[in-house]
Structure formats: structure tokens, C-alpha cells
Amino acid sequence: AELVAHAPQGVGPGQPLWLGLQITHQPDWHTYWKNPGDSGLPTELTWQLPAGLDAGDIAWPVPHKIAIGTLANYGYEGTVLLPVPVTVAQTFAPGPLAKDVTVQLKASWLVCRKECIPEEGHFTLQLPIQSTTALSSAAFEAAAKAQPQPVLAGTNGIVPDSQAQVASDGNTLNVSVQGLPAALRGKTLDLFPEMPEVLHNAAEGTQRWEGDVWTARIPLAEQRSNSPSTLPVVLAERVQGSTLRPGYRADLTVQGPWPAVAAKASVSPALEA
């Protein structure tokens, strides 16, 4: 794991600045997306930055579905960069003699094969204020291309409706998405829900194209704990391996009624005590 930066114009107000944790996994090991799927935990980043620098959220690249027996996780294999945009305030004033700024990161992640190992790291990086930091530009460019983009707007500039309907059997979600790029038409897609414990992560479901509209029938999770009125999802072409690829984000307007959610697991009062 390595802390990397991309500051092609140096560190100054209005200039592009990205930080990121780059993880290189051993073969068959993986870490997790924002929704890890049936198990696991997402990587967490805690920053210590100089006054005037403000880190945003992780710009999560499109994950992959990783089958674990009868379960499925969402995550990353190979090498992945988790980029974070940093805003430099107009009030940023490092001082007339300052040549660089110090960036510190505490990161924690869960890396799994069949077994899981919690790991963490403490990282420090010195960023020159006036000169270019761009050694990792290719990695940041690839991560930017793999960050999900909103579905395309129609000819009138309005983003088309993306909808989902809870089926009458109460066990399936019928999904309909418009506005996906023409290059995806006819392709098999992966759908990644950003909200956990709604859809059955390992189930294939069924999907098809109806002209420029992608539709799918996806089983609901047996232990579903959420009944959202809006379900954000990421769609991407299904590919083999851990290759980064573009993805598209849609907010599905869900029409119910939802069946009752599963009861939360609990422990006995004695064990709790």
C-alpha cells in the first residue's frame, strides 16, 4: 500500500490536487468497494492535512463481483488506486519560506482470500508547493476513467428516468435504465447497488435490452434490511479479470410496496451482559 499524489500545477488555490491510496494485492486476494457485498468492510481513509486543504470522499472506481462460494463480494484485485479530491482554499498561506506541505494518512482495510486479515498503515508525503507532482498521473487518469459517470441526458437535456418495481411475488426487483451509452447496447452488464442488504449479491438474475433501454430482474436479498424509495446503482460491462472499465451511475426510483424486512439478529440478554 502506498500514498500517492497528483498535483500537476503544484499546491495552490484553484489548482487540481488529488491524493490516493494505491493497493497492490497478492494473487487471489482482494479489498472492498463502498458496498462490500455479502461480507467484508470498505477501506477507510483518515487524513491530517495542513490548514487550507480539505479532502473529499473517495472517488470509488467501478468494482468487480468476486464470488466466494455461494456468496459474492464487491471489490478490487490486482492494483487499484482509491483517489480523493483535495480542495485548496483561497486562504491557503503556507508562508514565504515554505517549500512543501506535509500530508498524513491513516488507512485501514480488510484484505481477504478465503480468510480475512485487517490491516492498517500510517503514511506521510511531502508535496512541493511550486513544482509539479505527477509521477502517478497514469494511475490517476485510469482511476478517473473508472469512476462512474451519470447516465447520459436525453436530447432535451433531461436525464431519462431510471426505475425499479418490486415484483408482485415480493422476491424480485424489476429494473429499467435509460440513457446508457450506445456502445453498451447488447452487452451483458453488472449492476452494483451502493446500498447494502437490498439485492441478492450472488444471484445472476436475468437481463435484456429493449431498444436503448436496459432491463433486469434481480432477486431481493433473503435477509433484506432496507426498503429504499431511491436505490443508487452502478452499471458496467461485464468483463473477465480485474480490468478497470467505465461505469455509469443511476438513481433508481423504486415503486413498492416492499415486503417486510428481515428481523435484525440479536443475542440473548445474558450474552449481551
Side-chain angles (χ1 to χ4, degrees):
E2 181 183 9
L3 172 59
V4 293
H6 182 59
Q9 309 299 328
V11 181
Q15 302 298 341
L17 172 58
W18 288 81
L19 300 172
L21 181 70
Q22 185 166 270
I23 300 176
T24 301
H25 304 83
Q26 295 293 334
D28 301 323
W29 291 78
H30 60 272
T31 53
Y32 294 94
W33 187 49
K34 63 196 312 185
N35 171 13
D38 286 319
S39 62
L41 293 168
T43 298
E44 294 187 355
L45 307 180
T46 303
W47 299 95
Q48 286 187 331
L49 303 177
L53 271 61
D54 183 36
D57 296 328
I58 297 173
W60 296 93
V62 176
H64 289 266
K65 183 180 287 189
I66 302 167
I68 306 292
T70 59
L71 306 177
N73 294 332
Y74 302 142
Y76 308 101
E77 299 173 310
T79 298
V80 65
L81 171 62
L82 303 180
V84 172
V86 178
T87 302
V88 183
Q90 294 295 329
T91 55
F92 175 65
L97 300 179
K99 294 183 179 180
D100 51 40
V101 295
T102 301
V103 172
Q104 296 184 69
L105 168 66
K106 177 184 176 183
S108 60
W109 60 90
L110 188 67
V111 60
C112 299
R113 186 170 55 183
K114 292 182 179 178
E115 64 275 32
C116 291
I117 302 174
E119 297 183 341
E120 68 176 22
H122 297 260
F123 307 86
T124 300
L125 195 61
Q126 303 283 351
L127 285 182
I129 295 173
Q130 297 296 335
S131 56
T132 295
T133 300
L135 290 177
S136 301
S137 59
F140 278 95
E141 182 178 350
K145 291 180 179 178
Q147 183 182 356
Q149 302 298 313
V151 292
L152 300 178
T155 54
N156 57 0
I158 299 175
V159 175
D161 248 354
S162 298
Q163 298 181 355
Q165 173 77 48
V166 178
S168 57
D169 62 10
N171 298 319
T172 309
L173 195 68
N174 297 325
V175 177
S176 174
V177 179
Q178 303 179 38
L180 292 167
L184 288 182
R185 291 174 195 167
K187 303 286 183 65
T188 300
L189 304 185
D190 282 327
L191 180 146
F192 303 99
E194 293 188 0
M195 185 179 294
E197 299 178 344
V198 175
L199 301 181
H200 193 302
N201 299 311
E204 282 296 318
T206 61
Q207 59 176 279
R208 64 177 180 172
W209 286 88
E210 299 175 356
D212 61 352
V213 179
W214 182 81
T215 65
R217 291 176 54 86
I218 304 173
L220 298 178
E222 293 94 338
Q223 298 299 318
R224 183 178 56 83
S225 63
N226 289 302
S227 302
S229 58
T230 300
L231 179 64
V233 299
V234 170
L235 293 159
E237 181 181 355
R238 182 172 299 172
V239 297
Q240 296 297 320
S242 57
T243 305
L244 290 176
R245 77 267 202 221
Y248 303 90
R249 188 178 186 275
D251 289 320
L252 303 180
T253 301
V254 184
Q255 300 174 6
W258 287 98
V261 299
K264 285 287 187 181
S266 60
V267 299
S268 70
L271 182 58
E272 176 125 8

